[in-house]
Amino acid sequence: MDIRLRHTPLPLRIAAPIVAGLIFLLAWWLVTSFGSIPATLLPSPGTVVGRLGRELASGRLWAPIGVTITEAAAGCLLASVIALPTAYLIAHVRLAEATLAPYLAASQAIPAVALAPLLVIWVGYGMRPVVLLCSVMVFFPMVLSTVLGLRSIDREVLDAARVDGAAGAQMARWIEWPLALPATLTGVRNGFTLSITGAVVGELVMGGNGLGQRLAVQSQSSDTTGLFTTLIVLCVLAIAIYLGMTFIEWLVNPFASSPRWYRLTHPHHEK
């Protein structure tokens, strides 16, 4: 995370996007209020909000929202389980970096819509291929952020820990992972947000019961208002995830980013 953003007061970081969203809604309302654009192309904010309220009140939206969040969270978790050990290996073993880095970069050149049909052939329809697609999309950003965090640790802190007797798994547990935690959480935050996109793309291509499937149906029926309501829900989900993960980062940074972490959590190595 950029150091300037990290030092920005939390209330400002929450209020700023809200104000920006209100400005966007005002501009949208002004454009549609003149009547120069047909409602079939761009419905007014009032129409969209009214439709969104009715669908939320009726409960029709809650099940698709739950499915999409479940797919995104499962994909993000699966990617984390593989990405974090891979990042640790790349950060410490030059041969691993030389071997894996080109393939990790190449994986980002494969479009999600091209990978989706293969996943259907391999694992069939349902939630599993969507979860796998989400994990593939977020794997590379998680690896990069974690490697950056591990390699940014102050060498003096590592040397001091070695003098205190830390080595191997103990070094990783009490020094490297806590100090790399802010960068790792940044990767998880970006990955979780991106995994929402992966879930939607997966459902558009492979089908399902989430918000992506709703977008497909609404697009086929030219339901512009419905498309806007679903897109707004997706934006709100992404913003909520982003702010939630940012808050978690803010909570752990005063501890995990401190060079005193090792001595505070492992006092028996004090001289």
Side-chain angles (χ1 to χ4, degrees):
M1 183 189 297
D2 190 285
I3 190 67
R4 293 168 295 181
L5 180 59
R6 188 180 297 172
H7 289 166
T8 304
L10 182 63
L12 178 60
R13 291 167 63 180
I14 295 176
I18 294 176
V19 172
L22 292 175
I23 293 174
F24 172 77
L25 287 176
L26 177 61
W28 180 9
W29 177 78
L30 289 174
V31 169
T32 57
S33 62
F34 290 108
S36 57
I37 301 179
T40 53
L41 297 179
L42 182 64
S44 67
T47 302
V48 173
V49 170
R51 170 78 172 272
L52 179 60
R54 290 192 298 272
E55 295 204 354
L56 288 173
S58 66
R60 289 195 298 268
L61 264 176
W62 294 112
I65 290 174
V67 170
T68 298
I69 292 177
T70 301
E71 292 168 344
C76 193
L77 179 61
L78 176 61
S80 299
V81 170
I82 303 173
L84 299 187
T86 302
Y88 190 84
L89 186 65
I90 290 174
H92 289 82
V93 182
R94 293 184 181 274
L95 179 60
E97 178 184 18
T99 303
L100 297 176
Y103 294 103
L104 291 175
S107 69
Q108 298 303 290
I110 303 176
V113 292
L115 183 60
L118 282 175
L119 294 177
V120 170
I121 294 174
W122 291 339
V123 301
Y125 288 94
M127 184 176 291
R128 286 182 298 175
V130 179
V131 170
L132 289 175
L133 183 63
C134 292
S135 65
V136 170
M137 291 184 65
V138 306
F139 178 78
F140 189 65
M142 284 188 183
V143 170
L144 284 182
S145 296
T146 305
V147 169
L148 178 62
L150 289 169
R151 289 183 172 173
S152 300
I153 298 174
D154 191 340
R155 302 302 303 180
E156 294 183 359
V157 175
L158 298 177
D159 292 339
R162 291 189 183 98
V163 171
D164 285 343
Q170 190 180 54
M171 175 74 78
R173 177 183 177 184
W174 296 106
I175 296 294
E176 293 179 297
W177 283 118
L179 291 178
L181 187 59
T184 301
L185 286 176
T186 298
V188 173
R189 179 194 67 197
N190 294 335
F192 201 169
T193 306
L194 183 61
S195 65
I196 294 291
T197 302
V200 172
V201 172
E203 290 186 345
L204 283 171
V205 178
M206 298 178 284
N209 298 310
L211 295 173
Q213 180 64 17
R214 282 179 60 88
L215 284 175
V217 173
Q218 291 163 347
S219 177
Q220 292 173 358
S221 61
S222 299
D223 183 4
T224 309
T225 303
L227 286 169
F228 269 90
T229 60
T230 306
L231 290 175
I232 288 175
V233 170
L234 287 170
C235 289
V236 171
L237 284 179
I239 292 172
I241 291 169
Y242 180 90
L243 292 178
M245 291 301 300
T246 300
F247 180 68
I248 293 174
E249 291 176 52
W250 178 80
L251 286 178
V252 302
N253 273 343
F255 303 99
S257 60
S258 171
R260 300 178 57 199
W261 172 273
Y262 177 75
R263 296 188 181 276
L264 290 173
T265 56
H266 213 55
H268 65 269
H269 276 285
E270 288 279 2
K271 290 185 176 180

